[in-house]
Amino acid sequence: MQQRVRELEKNIQSVQADIAVIKSNYATKEDVSNAKNSIILWVVSAVVFAQLIPALPAIINALKGILS
């Protein structure tokens, strides 16, 4: 019986160490929120940029007409 208790105590120490590592590495709400905001900003920027590129020649020609 003593041997089984020693083995259980050893296993519990291992589980406690694993839990400590998990707790130190998991994402907080702030981490998730920051990642979400970065993704949203990237997607919005990509969409705006994708819409702006085809219109760029027309914008340049319009500016040339205004400045001339």
Side-chain angles (χ1 to χ4, degrees):
M1 184 71 160
Q2 287 290 341
Q3 179 64 25
R4 290 180 64 186
V5 170
R6 277 190 225 113
E7 288 179 22
L8 286 173
E9 287 174 344
K10 186 191 293 185
N11 288 340
I12 287 176
Q13 289 175 351
S14 175
V15 169
Q16 286 175 336
D18 291 345
I19 289 173
V21 169
I22 290 169
K23 282 184 176 181
S24 69
N25 291 329
Y26 70 88
T28 62
K29 286 182 182 180
E30 183 180 355
D31 294 335
V32 173
S33 178
N34 289 341
K36 179 186 76 170
N37 291 339
S38 294
I39 291 169
I40 290 171
L41 182 62
W42 186 88
V43 168
V44 168
S45 299
V47 169
V48 169
F49 189 69
Q51 296 298 314
L52 185 63
I53 291 295
L56 203 53
I59 293 170
I60 292 171
N61 287 335
L63 287 176
K64 283 181 183 176
I66 292 172
L67 296 177
S68 298

